[in-house]
Amino acid sequence: MSTFENTTPFNGVASSTIVRATIVQASTVYNDTPATLAKAKKYIVEAANNGSKLVVFPEAFIGGYPRGFRFGLAVGVFNEEGRDEFRKYHASAIHVPGPEVEKLAELAGKNNVYLVMGAIEKDGYTLYCTALFFSPQGQFLGKHRKLMPTTLERCIWGQGDGSTIPVYDTPIGKLGAAICWENRMPLYRTALYAKGIELYCAPTADGSKEWQSSMLHIAIEGGCFVLSACQFCQRKDFPDHPDYLFTDLDDNKEHDAIVSQGGSVIISPMGQVLAGPNFESEGLITADLDLGEVARAKLYFDVVGHYSKPDVLSLTVNEHPKKPVTFVSKVEKAEDESNK
């Protein structure tokens, strides 16, 4: 395990404008959610003992990012083995709220941290790629569901809607998230900027060198701290299966071959890399964030303030939940008619 830091020694007393933040770069324990939660606990405790007030985990840490899984999918083909694979994947996902969410809230409270956790959420038999938010008081604050899954992800995950794009106004800064390639959606980024995001969490499965450019751009564009968290995985972290396709990096089939190379990084509103990127191993990436940097960055450029052009350009965000079925009882109908 490696630890990448740009911090001052923690003496138990922190400035009101300085927040120590940690990214956990680690792999899911696939098909074993209790073991994944135990692994998360270990890292949360370690980060908290080092003085961190914010801990961010990668995309789909609970439940797993199914890199290389095919689920037997092909146009016009229905595959029994793929259905069985999805059954296992669905079993590893969690209900929100649910017992695993309660456990994570307890961990956040016991360790006095804000926690952002990537998870696969199951709502009935549909799965969502979700970011969960927790407070140091042990409260589950809410969630963000990924709006648009990427490529084959769309076959196994549902799409989020505008009802779960929160930015939480906390004592350590305004906290929100965009998951993986949502960060390439300029209108979604603009919605987060308009909500005043200062601690911009980017749980992702993109460990490419090119991803670093996107994170740097967002920090400067939004005048916010960007915390990009990605899993570091080797082939041995995944279940054995002859149909898995791992070709992101190379065709090395050895157990120690790197499948997801991480690259977790923390960047300031001025575009300075504060910690990371780590392309080498599992571990913690930690930095001290001076919230005063947000105001300094926005002197010259405030994307939804003095540098916007609302007379020419505007954005409307629909935050209403999109439900496929809405039930209206007969009693409610009768009351409605009597009020006319």
Side-chain angles (χ1 to χ4, degrees):
M1 184 188 75
S2 297
T3 299
F4 287 65
E5 292 192 10
N6 181 7
T7 64
T8 55
F10 180 64
N11 59 10
V13 179
S15 164
S16 60
T17 64
I18 304 295
V19 175
R20 181 163 293 184
T22 291
I23 290 171
V24 176
Q25 176 165 292
S27 173
T28 301
V29 183
Y30 281 84
N31 295 333
D32 194 338
T33 297
T36 302
L37 286 168
K39 188 173 185 179
K41 177 181 178 180
K42 181 190 74 169
Y43 280 119
I44 292 168
V45 170
E46 184 178 346
N49 287 342
N50 191 37
S52 289
K53 296 300 180 186
L54 171 63
V55 182
V56 183
F57 279 77
E59 177 181 15
F61 183 77
I62 305 295
Y65 184 80
R67 187 180 302 277
F69 289 45
R70 302 196 204 192
F71 296 100
L73 293 170
V75 175
V77 174
F78 303 93
N79 183 290
E80 291 303 314
E81 190 176 61
R83 287 186 169 119
D84 287 340
E85 196 66 51
F86 182 77
R87 178 183 60 81
K88 294 176 185 176
Y89 190 55
H90 181 273
S92 295
I94 64 174
H95 291 288
V96 181
E100 293 84 4
V101 173
E102 292 175 3
K103 177 65 174 177
L104 291 167
E106 180 183 349
L107 285 172
K110 284 186 175 180
N111 292 281
N112 193 33
V113 297
Y114 283 93
L115 174 63
V116 180
M117 175 62 72
I120 300 304
E121 174 194 358
K122 54 186 170 188
D123 187 352
Y125 286 93
T126 294
L127 303 181
Y128 295 91
C129 183
T130 302
L132 308 175
F133 299 86
F134 302 88
S135 78
Q137 291 74 40
Q139 297 173 321
F140 171 53
L141 297 175
K143 66 186 179 184
H144 163 57
R145 283 178 173 174
K146 192 174 187 178
L147 291 174
M148 177 53 71
T150 303
T151 61
L152 201 61
E153 293 173 0
R154 297 175 199 170
C155 296
I156 57 169
W157 296 342
Q159 297 179 14
D161 61 32
S163 67
T164 65
I165 52 172
V167 171
Y168 298 100
D169 192 356
T170 79
I172 66 167
K174 293 182 179 179
L175 176 67
I179 303 172
C180 205
W181 279 15
E182 282 186 322
N183 289 279
R184 294 186 174 186
M185 299 170 69
L187 300 185
Y188 180 63
R189 296 200 308 268
T190 301
L192 294 179
Y193 300 152
K195 292 189 174 189
I197 192 167
E198 296 166 328
L199 301 170
Y200 184 115
C201 300
T204 187
D206 190 336
S208 68
K209 299 290 178 63
E210 294 78 13
W211 179 254
Q212 303 296 314
S213 299
S214 291
M215 297 300 96
L216 179 63
H217 171 79
I218 290 169
I220 295 172
E221 177 184 70
C224 53
F225 289 96
V226 170
L227 301 97
S228 176
C230 186
Q231 294 195 33
F232 181 91
C233 305
Q234 297 172 285
R235 283 183 180 272
K236 63 186 178 183
D237 294 319
F238 289 81
D240 289 330
H241 194 294
D243 196 39
Y244 289 169
L245 179 65
F246 297 126
T247 59
D248 279 342
L249 303 177
D250 56 45
D251 197 35
N252 184 352
K253 293 181 173 59
E254 298 297 322
H255 283 314
D256 291 335
I258 295 173
V259 173
S260 176
Q261 60 186 347
S264 300
V265 66
I266 302 175
I267 303 174
S268 80
M270 302 294 289
Q272 178 185 2
V273 175
L274 301 179
N278 173 7
F279 292 106
E280 301 173 7
S281 64
E282 288 197 350
L284 303 182
I285 295 89
T286 299
D288 288 332
L289 316 182
D290 181 356
L291 296 181
E293 288 291 293
V294 175
R296 295 180 72 246
K298 296 199 177 184
L299 168 62
Y300 297 115
F301 186 86
D302 185 351
V303 66
V304 290
H306 61 76
Y307 219 94
S308 64
K309 280 290 290 176
D311 56 321
V312 179
L313 306 168
S314 63
L315 171 66
T316 299
V317 180
N318 184 352
E319 293 190 308
H320 293 295
K322 296 297 182 183
K323 296 182 179 180
V325 180
T326 300
F327 293 95
V328 180
S329 72
K330 293 181 180 179
V331 173
E332 288 172 333
K333 285 181 179 179
E335 290 178 349
D336 289 343
E337 290 174 358
S338 66
N339 290 331
K340 289 181 180 179

